[in-house]
Amino acid sequence: MTESPDSRAKTLNFNVGVLGHVDSGKTSLARALSSTASTAAFDKNPQSRERGITLDLGFSSFTVDCPDHLRDSGGQQQYDGLQFTLVDCPGHASLIRTIIGGAQIIDLMMLVVDVVKGVQTQTAECLLIGELTCPRMVVVLNKIDLLPPNKRQSAIEKMTKRLHKTLESTRFKECPVIAVAAKPGGPEAPEPEEPQGVPELIELLKKQTYLPKRDAEGDLLMAVDHCFSIRGQGTVMTGTILQGSLAINDTVEIPVLKVTKKIKSVQMFRKPVSGAMQGDRVGVCVTQFDPKLLERGLVCTPGSLRTLYAAIISTRKIGYFKGSLATRAKFHITVGHETVMAKVTFFGLPPADTEPTSSEPSSLETPFTFDREYSYQDEYVSGQKEAASGPDPEQWALLELERPVTCPALCLVIGSKLDTDIHANACRLAFQGRLLHRFEDKSYAETSLPQLRIFKTKHKEGQVERVTDDYSVIGRSLFKKETNLQLFVGLKVTLSTGESGVIEGGFGQSGKFKIRVQEGLRPETKQLLSSSKKKGKSGGKGGPASEEEPKTESQPVSIHLHFKRYVFDPHKKMVQS
């Protein structure tokens, strides 16, 4: 691809996510910062115009001179311009799924806090999303014009101190905090009033920039957030390139629609370019495509994205989530650019595998494989439950999605409870992980799940009713009358007196069964059983009776049956090690 001397390679694109509580003034701040607004900027949604809140990701940009630390970074690419792309994420509580979709394309996060109200539940959730998805953050205290001038400075200092305390335990400790008034006087104020603190904020953002790792290699993956037609030209899809690169005449796939299209032209903030790469924000024009078919979604190299019906992910509970993570519960799963309901099954390493085998600390990097056996968990196990403290043991989850989802390999997965009351003061982000295995076959439950060896351990207990001879006893209370005893024939049992035996078959119609004790019953066991029989029924037909009554109170002899069953085994076989 040939580049002209003034080509786009001289301008670095840097994506800044603008996150914060609803009504903290994010959109006003993006507006104050931006000189060039892209087509998706400032939320065209009529419903959000009416309600005064942002309903979708808005994109806008402004370009500044490249700061010295980027200009002299010594890399092969020398930049003379720096373009900030502002990703204005919605703050309304029910729209957190959109934020998670947007957070994956962010290089730096700008957390907007209403200086009067301080940190609220959604602010904390935005902070969590930032921790999962981006390395740097700047906190912007907005609406300082609402503070009385004589108390303004002390209120700002107090709030800054409080925020630094909140951020102490996060990856953003000691991050810069700056105070502004993006729209003095509030939404109703006449336009001419100048924003306060914005030039200082731009300088701070410039200082915080770094060279993001950009790689033109690999398959193209572009997150499209807006789609519209231009008469006489075609349909333009605007979005951010998450990986790889694209150029005019490339063929791209819209996997959710299973269609491929050829790129006719490419623009970056209204300037034509011949191509673009990871991190760039672009408009891509294709022909003969109805924009109504795709409002947002993914575009990729043909064949590179797969549609999945279920998945296995690594899992880590999010510390601020107060509820339990129960198996069989349903969670909102955000994967790629979509959020879908899924039933979750948690599983971990069997107890023996979780103990370190040497003095070295155990690594939390056991790769998932179908060759290993895993232990079924009724719920996610926290490290705090296991010991006084410590990291959570390594765990995975099977996600069974309510509808298929198209996403890239190894992408971030976030599980949330988005149906929690938005006014409750509770974090709704529950767990996070990485996609490790995809089930792409619609009938995966029959074809693939039986290979996933997650087992439950079972323990049944019954009693010995009587002895029939030196090598056999009759047992009861281990099975229900209607149980098919044939399924249990051949399984090993142990007696509370120490002998082990094998279930030989049923005895009569009431769920009783016969046990063969290969090594033979010990004399004291026979004595114990015959004496309890004698006590119960003097002179009854039991096994060999002892002449003497034992001095101690006799105890019934119990029978223990241990086995495991694989959760996804269609034959429900019982297995003993």
Side-chain angles (χ1 to χ4, degrees), residues 121 125 320-322 420-429:
T121 307
E125 288 179 342
Y320 298 99
F321 183 75
K322 292 290 177 272
T420 309
D421 176 15
I422 62 170
H423 303 296
N425 186 19
C427 172
R428 293 164 305 152
L429 306 183

Side-chain angles (χ1 to χ4, degrees), residues 12 38 136 167 207 255 317 348 435 556:
L12 172 68
S38 85
R136 290 197 187 184
L167 298 172
K207 277 199 194 94
K317 185 173 181 176
L435 184 65

Side-chain angles (χ1 to χ4, degrees), residues 75-106:
Q76 288 184 346
Q77 280 183 305
Q78 295 297 304
Y79 299 101
D80 51 17
L82 171 63
Q83 172 178 271
F84 284 106
T85 294
L86 300 177
V87 187
D88 178 18
C89 300
H92 192 266
S94 62
L95 300 166
I96 201 156
R97 65 199 73 187
T98 318
I99 299 181
I100 299 170
Q104 300 184 46
I105 54 177
I106 289 170

Side-chain angles (χ1 to χ4, degrees), residues 494-539:
T494 51
L495 306 186
S496 54
T497 46
E499 295 92 334
S500 54
V502 172
I503 296 173
E504 277 197 331
F507 183 83
Q509 300 298 309
S510 56
K512 293 180 186 175
F513 53 96
K514 192 172 184 181
I515 294 172
R516 179 89 182 147
V517 182
Q518 293 95 325
E519 304 290 310
L521 292 165
R522 295 173 187 163
E524 53 269 35
T525 305
K526 290 191 289 184
Q527 186 178 1
L528 187 61
L529 286 164
S530 54
S531 63
S532 25
K533 194 73 198 155
K534 251 175 120 173
K535 270 185 163 318
K537 275 189 204 167
S538 191

Side-chain angles (χ1 to χ4, degrees), residues 290-312:
D290 179 356
K292 290 194 191 75
L293 295 175
L294 184 77
E295 176 52 32
R296 58 188 308 122
L298 296 168
V299 169
C300 64
T301 300
S304 64
L305 283 195
R306 301 296 177 78
T307 297
L308 53 103
Y309 292 85
I312 287 164

